[in-house]
């Protein structure tokens, strides 16, 4: 293995020397068998890629993001030192997998969006609830970003600020009925219900449904849990407001989603939304599409969404950029995941820990370097009965 490792070093050094990204940091490659270490770039290494065996050598020699990620998942490669810095340099390696990209759209085309979404959501969210609780905030269990006043603020306080802001934005009062799209682990539903607001929360995850039903019964909260896709939900009534925290990524057909909102929202009602975003539709790494969110889920594309809103009856009330808030959130999740490593490996195994370690720290790196964006925004459905006509001439 030492000879083979030496053979791939020139390619890594050439790639490093030609890479113009401002995130570029020197790093080292280490032979896990012999302990020999080789520097890439100039200066002290920010991290070290540890090559465990021949599989790891082949993966690194491919200069392929996905092959390197899979080798990390299987323990053929490891990273010592600053994982955030390592993942921020993923542009050093290519990610060209056209067949894998095209396969993301097969199930939605063959089975329809609703059936495909059920399978995709189950593959990610129907892990043991305790696994997610090992790294989420302990107060709200929220799986989207918080809103921070400062970088060292506790994640729990940032999440409370977000829940309060969402309630303020939709302008509901005790006794009002709100529809939540994507219940998760009850973050918004519990926060709103404790203020006397009735919440109907939709989920298509069996584990989420079980958690939410137990929460509502145990705490005696005005929460109704419905296991149904928002496209299929037909309650026969309209809601005072709608909240969607982090589900727009799973609803990439914006016109269809806005039609569902129009059907479910009372005229004059508002919708609070937030989402991970990108500058182009379906710009998702092969690792993300194969191991985290299979199917045609996509970061929200703001310009496309705004065009869809412009063709709908909705008004866009506000838009806020939240990339740094999401970076801080993913950083905290990654730190909590790492702190719980022994427990996670004991209960669910090393591969799951490594998969979510790449996901959470990779997401933090994406937000840090601007490859991934985030927004929150508010829509309003005008009430024709309250429109004020322009003054006559």
């Amino acid at each position: 293995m030492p000879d083979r490792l030496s053979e791939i070093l020139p390619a890594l050094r050439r790639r490093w020397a030609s890479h113009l990204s401002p995130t570029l940091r020197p790093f080292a490659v280490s032979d896990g068998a012999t302990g020999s270490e080789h520097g890439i770039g100039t200066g002290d290494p920010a991290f070290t890629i540890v090559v465990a065996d021949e599989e790891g050598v082949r993966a690194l020699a491919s200069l392929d993001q996905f092959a390197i990620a899979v080798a990390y998942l299987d323990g053929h490669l490891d990273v010592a030192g600053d994982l955030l810095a390592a993942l921020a340099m993923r542009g050093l390696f290519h990610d060209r997998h056209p067949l894998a990209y095209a396969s993301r759209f097969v199930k939605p085309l063959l089975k329809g969006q609703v059936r495909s979404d059920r399978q995709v959501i189950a593959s990610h969210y129907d892990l043991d609830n305790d696994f997610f609780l090992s790294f989420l905030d302990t107060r709200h269990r929220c799986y989207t970003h918080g809103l921070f006043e400062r970088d060292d603020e506790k994640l729990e306080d940032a999440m409370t600020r977000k829940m309060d802001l969402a309630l303020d934005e939709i302008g509901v009062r005790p006794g009002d009925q709100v529809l939540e799209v994507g219940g998760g682990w009850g973050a918004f539903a519990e926060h709103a219900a404790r203020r006397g607001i009735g919440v109907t929360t939709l989920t298509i995850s069996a584990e989420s449904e079980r958690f939410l039903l137990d929460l509502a019964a145990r705490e005696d909260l005005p929460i109704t849990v419905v296991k149904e896709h928002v496209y299929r939900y037909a309650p026969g009534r309209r809601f005072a407001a709608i909240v969607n925290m982090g589900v727009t990524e799973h609803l990439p057909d914006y016109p269809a989603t806005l039609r569902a909102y129009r059907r479910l929202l009372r005229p004059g009602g508002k919708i609070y939304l937030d989402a991970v975003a990108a500058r182009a539709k379906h710009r998702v790494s092969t690792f993300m599409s194969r191991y985290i969110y299979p199917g045609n889920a996509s970061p929200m594309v703001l310009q496309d969404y705004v065009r869809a809103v412009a063709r709908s009856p909705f008004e866009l009330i506000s838009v806020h950029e939240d990339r740094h808030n999401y970076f801080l959130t993913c950083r905290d999740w990654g730190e909590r995941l790492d702190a719980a490593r022994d427990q996670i490996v004991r209960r669910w195994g090393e591969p799951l820990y490594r998969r979510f370690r790449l996901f959470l720290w990779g997401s933090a790196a994406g937000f840090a370097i601007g490859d991934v964006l985030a927004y929150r925004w508010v829509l309003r459905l005008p009430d024709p009965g309250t429109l004020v006509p322009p003054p006559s001439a």
Side-chain angles (χ1 to χ4, degrees), residues 73 127 131 337 344 348-357:
L73 295 181
L127 299 170
F131 168 70
L337 183 88
I344 291 170
W348 300 287
E350 180 81 22
L352 184 62
Y353 165 71
R354 286 181 172 245
R355 177 170 25 129
F356 270 76
R357 192 168 191 242

Side-chain angles (χ1 to χ4, degrees), residues 269-292:
K270 293 180 180 179
I271 311 176
Y272 170 90
L273 308 103
D274 58 52
V276 172
R279 291 179 175 85
K281 198 76 170 282
H282 301 294
R283 184 179 289 174
V284 179
S285 71
T286 305
F287 167 74
M288 285 286 289
S289 65
R290 293 288 291 274
Y291 282 91
I292 305 299

Side-chain angles (χ1 to χ4, degrees), residues 71-376:
Y72 174 82
L73 295 181
D74 294 338
H76 304 300
L77 292 174
D78 212 335
V79 178
D82 191 341
L83 182 61
L84 183 65
L87 293 169
M89 285 172 49
R90 56 182 176 244
L92 195 64
F93 306 100
H94 68 80
D95 187 23
R96 297 186 291 270
H97 297 276
L99 290 179
Y101 177 84
S103 69
R104 299 175 57 227
F105 306 95
V106 172
K107 282 186 179 179
L109 285 173
L110 295 179
K111 297 186 175 184
Q113 190 67 55
V114 172
R115 288 182 63 193
S116 175
D117 285 350
R118 292 185 191 279
Q119 293 180 355
V120 168
I121 293 300
S123 71
H124 184 93
Y125 292 90
D126 281 351
L127 299 170
D128 191 328
N129 286 322
D130 285 348
F131 168 70
F132 290 97
L133 299 183
S134 70
F135 64 86
L136 296 180
D137 73 283
T138 57
R139 187 182 302 159
H140 299 288
R141 311 164 305 277
C142 187
Y143 200 26
T144 63
H145 66 285
L147 300 178
F148 292 78
E149 282 192 340
R150 60 184 191 278
D151 286 9
D152 62 349
E153 185 175 29
K154 284 184 61 176
L155 181 60
E156 283 74 12
D157 293 338
M159 289 302 185
T160 297
R161 184 175 296 105
K162 174 178 178 172
M163 299 302 132
D164 288 340
L165 177 97
L167 287 174
D168 290 344
E169 292 281 20
I170 58 177
V172 290
R173 300 184 298 271
D176 285 341
Q177 297 294 314
V178 175
L179 176 67
E180 181 187 24
V181 180
W185 293 273
F188 173 79
E190 180 179 12
H191 194 73
R194 291 195 184 281
R195 285 152 178 74
I197 296 161
V199 181
T200 296
T201 184
L202 302 181
T203 183
I204 54 176
S205 161
E207 284 294 301
S208 172
E209 178 190 32
R210 182 177 65 82
F211 189 96
L212 290 165
L213 287 170
D214 179 69
L215 171 68
R218 184 180 68 250
E219 302 295 328
D220 191 25
L221 295 170
I223 299 173
T224 301
V225 183
V226 179
K227 192 167 184 283
E228 185 58 277
H229 196 289
V230 66
Y231 289 174
R232 296 279 181 85
Y233 183 51
R237 64 188 176 101
R238 293 185 174 186
F239 293 85
I242 297 174
V243 168
N244 174 336
M245 294 183 177
V247 183
T248 299
E249 301 93 323
H250 300 291
L251 301 169
D253 186 340
Y254 305 146
T257 306
L258 290 167
R259 287 194 295 271
Y261 293 158
R262 183 183 183 185
R263 175 172 53 82
L264 294 165
L265 184 65
R266 285 200 321 232
K270 293 180 180 179
I271 311 176
Y272 170 90
L273 308 103
D274 58 52
V276 172
R279 291 179 175 85
K281 198 76 170 282
H282 301 294
R283 184 179 289 174
V284 179
S285 71
T286 305
F287 167 74
M288 285 286 289
S289 65
R290 293 288 291 274
Y291 282 91
I292 305 299
Y293 293 119
N296 67 340
S298 170
M300 189 268 288
V301 179
L302 182 62
Q303 62 268 29
D304 293 351
Y305 197 97
V306 171
R307 277 194 290 269
V309 171
R311 297 186 181 101
S312 79
F314 288 98
E315 298 172 336
L316 181 61
I317 301 300
S318 65
V319 179
H320 296 272
E321 191 273 331
D322 272 344
R323 178 165 69 92
H324 189 64
N325 281 309
Y326 228 134
F327 161 73
L328 294 173
T329 302
C330 287
R331 182 198 64 182
D332 280 12
W333 287 342
E335 289 174 348
R336 292 174 186 223
L337 183 88
D338 286 347
R341 179 192 178 279
D342 291 347
Q343 169 200 339
I344 291 170
V345 170
R346 184 174 62 253
R347 294 187 62 181
W348 300 287
E350 180 81 22
L352 184 62
Y353 165 71
R354 286 181 172 245
R355 177 170 25 129
F356 270 76
R357 192 168 191 242
L358 277 187
F359 169 43
L360 297 178
W361 283 109
S363 297
F367 288 118
I369 64 179
D371 278 358
V372 190
L373 310 172
Y375 296 97
R376 56 188 152 92

